[in-house]
């Protein structure tokens, strides 16, 4: 029954995603009597056998030469800033789709993949070039770059809450019961309508416009919508509840070690022997 429900959900999702696709039936091309047909090997029938194209004539007009000039540092940092914008918008969509309204108070800030990352990377790059040219470094500059590297490693997690989301999912599945295969199928049956909506939304976003034709802001918005849809799909499949994440069980206290059999008698025997030895070694007191 669960497998039939799962198959029905996927069928409805595929139907909803593909209902607006253009028709695929294309009529075969027709040729007039005077129109030369292409040869079986793909060459033009009007070209004589062994004929070489004239000098300057492109052999393949569909291939354009790579005329992109070398990227300057200004263009590189501008492109890098656009990538940071897309990463921030994509992660914000994932976080919002996973936590919903419950995560609004602790949502990623605008400093998540913010403008401070290119600035600190510029300082690190300038310091590297200085050391490579002069083989010396100023103490203050070296200390600043060291703090920049630490910030690049840890500070972004403070603004984006990566580890929080990972540990919440880990604890929810490790110490709960909603991530088992049986529970996943039950959750899919309960949330079938939401799952179909998310799959259809993701498919419509991906086929709305080609990635190459989008500008940076349009790409960032698209990643935000896709991240939100995928995270919502995962949350529906496991019934993720950020307000009721189970806690790990308390660690077991170590049991006290029991003395080995016969150890207590040996200790008492040792004590009697030490008492006897001390009485023998005691000096004899003679009264006058």
């Amino acid at each position: 029954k669960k497998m039939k429900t799962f198959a029905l959900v996927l069928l409805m999702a595929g139907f909803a995603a593909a209902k607006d696709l253009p028709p695929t039936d294309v009529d075969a091309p027709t040729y007039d009597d005077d129109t030369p047909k292409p040869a079986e090997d793909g060459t033009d029938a009007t070209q004589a056998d062994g004929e070489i194209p004239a000098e300057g004539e492109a052999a393949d007009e569909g291939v354009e030469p790579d005329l992109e000039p070398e990227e300057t540092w200004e263009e590189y940092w501008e492109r890098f800033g656009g990538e940071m914008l897309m990463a921030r918008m994509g992660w914000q969509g994932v976080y919002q789709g996973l936590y919903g309204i419950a995560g609004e108070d602790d949502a990623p800030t605008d400093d998540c993949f913010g403008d401070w990352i290119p600035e600190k990377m510029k300082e690190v790059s300038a310091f590297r070039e200085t050391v490579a040219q002069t083989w010396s470094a100023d103490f203050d500059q070296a200390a600043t770059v060291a703090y920049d590297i630490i910030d690049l490693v840890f500070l972004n997690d403070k603004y984006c809450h990566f580890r929080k989301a990972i540990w919440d999912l880990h604890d929810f599945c490790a110490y709960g019961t909603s991530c088992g295969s049986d529970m996943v199928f039950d959750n899919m049956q309960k949330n079938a309508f939401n799952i179909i909506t998310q799959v259809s939304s993701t498919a419509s976003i991906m086929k709305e416009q080609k990635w190459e034709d989008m500008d940076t802001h349009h790409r960032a918005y698209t990643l935000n919508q896709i991240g939100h849809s995928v995270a919502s799909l995962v949350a529906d499949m496991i019934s993720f509840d950020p307000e009721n994440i189970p806690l790990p069980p308390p660690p077991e206290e170590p049991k006290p070690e029991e003395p080995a059999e016969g150890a207590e008698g040996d200790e008492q025997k040792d004590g009697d022997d030490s008492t006897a030895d001390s009485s023998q070694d005691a000096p004899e007191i003679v009264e006058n």
Side-chain angles (χ1 to χ4, degrees):
K1 181 179 178 181
K2 296 177 181 179
M3 293 300 296
K4 291 181 179 179
T5 304
F6 178 65
L8 179 61
V9 169
L10 292 182
L11 179 62
M12 295 179 66
F15 177 76
K19 62 181 181 179
D20 295 331
L21 291 176
T24 56
D25 297 335
V26 180
D27 298 334
T30 57
Y31 298 95
D32 298 333
D33 296 336
D34 299 334
T35 303
K37 299 181 180 180
E40 295 182 356
D41 58 354
T43 58
D44 191 356
T46 58
Q47 181 176 339
D49 295 338
E51 182 179 353
I52 301 176
E55 184 179 358
E57 182 180 355
D60 187 0
E61 297 180 355
V63 178
E64 298 180 357
D66 186 9
L67 301 178
E68 184 178 357
E70 294 183 0
E71 191 176 40
T72 62
W73 279 110
E74 290 77 9
E75 295 172 344
Y76 170 79
W77 291 117
E78 183 179 358
R79 178 174 59 84
F80 187 80
E83 293 175 354
M84 291 295 99
L85 174 63
M86 291 187 288
R88 178 170 66 253
M89 293 290 291
W91 174 247
Q92 287 178 350
V94 171
Y95 196 92
Q96 185 179 5
L98 191 63
Y99 287 87
I101 301 176
E104 291 182 355
D105 296 336
D106 198 20
T109 64
D110 292 337
D111 289 328
C112 174
F113 293 105
D115 296 335
W116 61 272
I117 294 181
E119 295 299 328
K120 291 186 179 295
M121 292 185 65
K122 289 178 182 179
E123 293 179 356
V124 175
S125 178
F127 177 78
R128 183 181 60 184
E129 292 181 0
T130 301
V131 173
Q133 294 176 359
T134 62
W135 289 92
S136 62
D138 181 71
F139 175 81
D140 294 335
Q141 187 179 9
T144 301
V145 171
Y147 282 112
D148 289 342
I149 295 175
I150 295 175
D151 289 342
L152 289 171
V153 175
F154 296 103
L155 192 59
N156 200 38
D157 177 68
K158 176 182 177 181
Y159 297 139
C160 298
H161 312 303
F162 295 125
R163 287 184 293 178
K164 177 184 183 306
I166 293 174
W167 280 112
D168 284 349
L169 286 173
H170 173 271
D171 294 344
F172 187 82
C173 290
Y175 309 119
T177 59
S178 297
C179 295
S181 58
D182 295 338
M183 292 300 299
V184 168
F185 284 114
D186 290 340
N187 295 331
M188 291 180 64
Q189 184 176 1
K190 295 177 183 178
N191 303 319
F193 180 77
N194 291 336
I195 291 175
I196 293 174
T197 303
Q198 298 302 334
V199 172
S200 177
S201 175
T202 303
S204 62
I205 292 172
M206 296 181 66
K207 69 180 183 181
E208 182 178 355
Q209 188 176 1
K210 292 184 179 180
W211 183 263
E212 298 81 13
D213 299 336
M214 301 180 185
D215 57 7
T216 302
H217 291 81
H218 195 178
R219 291 180 179 181
Y221 175 77
T222 302
L223 290 176
N224 181 274
Q225 297 298 310
I226 293 177
H228 184 276
S229 298
V230 173
S232 299
L233 178 64
V234 174
D236 289 336
M237 293 179 65
I238 64 176
S239 290
F240 180 71
D241 187 1
E243 296 182 347
N244 295 307
I245 297 177
L247 298 176
E252 297 181 358
E253 297 181 357
K255 298 180 179 179
E257 297 182 358
E258 297 180 358
E261 185 177 356
E264 184 178 355
D266 296 340
E267 292 178 357
Q268 185 176 2
K269 183 178 179 181
D270 295 340
D272 295 341
D273 295 341
S274 60
T275 305
D277 295 340
S278 61
S279 61
Q280 293 176 2
D281 296 338
E284 184 178 356
I285 301 175
V286 181
E287 297 182 355
N288 294 330

